[in-house]
Amino acid sequence: MKDNLQKESKKLLLIDDDPNLILLVKDYLEFRGYNVISAENGKQALNILQQEIPDMIICDVMMPEVDGYSLVQQIRENSQTSSIPIMLLSAKGQSQDRVKGLNIGADVYMVKPFEPEELVAQVESTLKQINRLKGQVNQEGKAPPTIQIPHQVDLTPTEQRVIYLLAQGMANQEIAQSLNVSKRTIESHVSNMLNKTSLHNRTELARWAMENNLA
């Protein structure tokens, strides 16, 4: 009962141009106690985000007008929405497709078709990780501590700075501005660190950084 009461305050934005998928996923999420807002495409989603800030966004990749990749980029470049966790849904399951989705700023990449229960579990896991990170983030303005790198993972000095800022909740664009480099450079560093650590997304990378005193 307590768990459901906590979920009722969690608002999710579900974006997909397939009405059947929206109905199916929305039913599962609402049954688990979430408040779900839906949008048929990226343009409609951007209009909703001007009025409401959800706790998490679940978005299809292949959509008309504004596709999922473009939508994620716009969300990450907006300071009002840049920290919202995002799950991408796609029928493309190749490694390069996953890497692209994660590099542009998605926290989770799920391949269609999927079991609704698995999606719900991913949503719950991501929100729990985000809440944990929020409780551990250093106070704003605090100087970065000396970073101790575990011996099994060899990060470059630049990667150390990137992962510190990533763990503070900064988007790739914000990190790029902070380090005075291009966003593509930051995306490359994030991709390299995911490969080195064998982690799956930015959220796991940030959590790993916290647990290993990298942030």
Side-chain angles (χ1 to χ4, degrees):
M1 181 67 176
K2 180 180 178 182
D3 196 29
N4 282 335
L5 288 175
Q6 290 176 338
K7 291 176 186 174
E8 286 177 357
S9 63
K10 296 295 184 182
K11 183 181 299 182
L12 309 179
L13 175 57
L14 175 61
I15 313 157
D16 200 300
D17 60 343
D18 182 350
N20 292 325
L21 186 141
I22 283 187
L23 286 175
L24 176 64
V25 174
K26 187 175 182 180
D27 281 348
Y28 269 85
L29 290 169
E30 289 182 340
F31 180 77
R32 298 298 289 267
Y34 294 103
N35 178 14
V36 182
I37 308 169
S38 62
E40 298 177 355
N41 53 62
K43 185 176 181 180
Q44 185 179 15
L46 290 173
N47 290 333
I48 291 175
L49 289 171
Q50 292 179 358
Q51 307 296 326
E52 301 187 66
I53 302 298
D55 294 285
M56 184 172 178
I57 295 171
I58 304 169
C59 178
D60 186 31
V61 171
M62 302 302 295
M63 297 185 297
E65 297 190 54
V66 180
D67 67 15
Y69 293 137
S70 298
L71 180 60
V72 171
Q73 289 177 322
Q74 293 184 56
I75 290 171
R76 291 296 181 233
E77 291 170 0
N78 185 332
S79 60
Q80 299 297 316
T81 59
S82 62
S83 63
I84 301 174
I86 301 174
M87 175 190 293
L88 279 179
L89 307 177
S90 176
K92 296 182 178 181
Q94 297 297 317
S95 176
Q96 60 267 29
D97 297 314
R98 294 175 181 270
V99 169
K100 180 179 179 180
L102 297 172
N103 276 344
I104 65 172
D107 297 281
V108 182
Y109 189 103
M110 284 198 68
V111 179
K112 297 179 179 179
F114 53 81
E115 292 296 330
E117 293 89 347
E118 181 184 1
L119 183 142
V120 173
Q122 286 280 12
V123 168
E124 295 180 347
S125 175
T126 301
L127 289 174
K128 286 178 181 178
Q129 289 178 11
I130 294 297
N131 287 336
R132 180 178 179 182
L133 290 174
K134 285 181 178 179
Q136 294 179 347
V137 170
N138 293 333
Q139 293 182 352
E140 185 177 357
K142 184 176 180 180
T146 300
I147 299 177
Q148 301 296 323
I149 304 300
H151 70 277
Q152 69 272 22
V153 179
D154 183 20
L155 299 184
T156 67
T158 300
E159 288 172 345
Q160 294 178 34
R161 292 193 291 272
V162 170
I163 199 171
Y164 172 82
L165 296 175
L166 184 151
Q168 309 310 303
M170 295 178 66
N172 287 350
Q173 182 65 38
E174 295 174 306
I175 297 174
Q177 292 174 350
S178 176
L179 300 182
N180 196 28
V181 298
S182 70
K183 187 173 74 170
R184 183 176 294 275
T185 297
I186 299 303
E187 292 173 349
S188 177
H189 285 309
V190 172
S191 178
N192 288 338
M193 287 189 287
L194 287 172
N195 289 332
K196 287 181 178 181
T197 59
S198 297
L199 297 174
H200 301 93
N201 53 57
R202 289 167 54 90
T203 301
E204 289 185 1
L205 194 59
R207 177 181 178 183
W208 174 80
M210 290 287 189
E211 293 178 346
N212 289 278
N213 298 319
L214 304 184

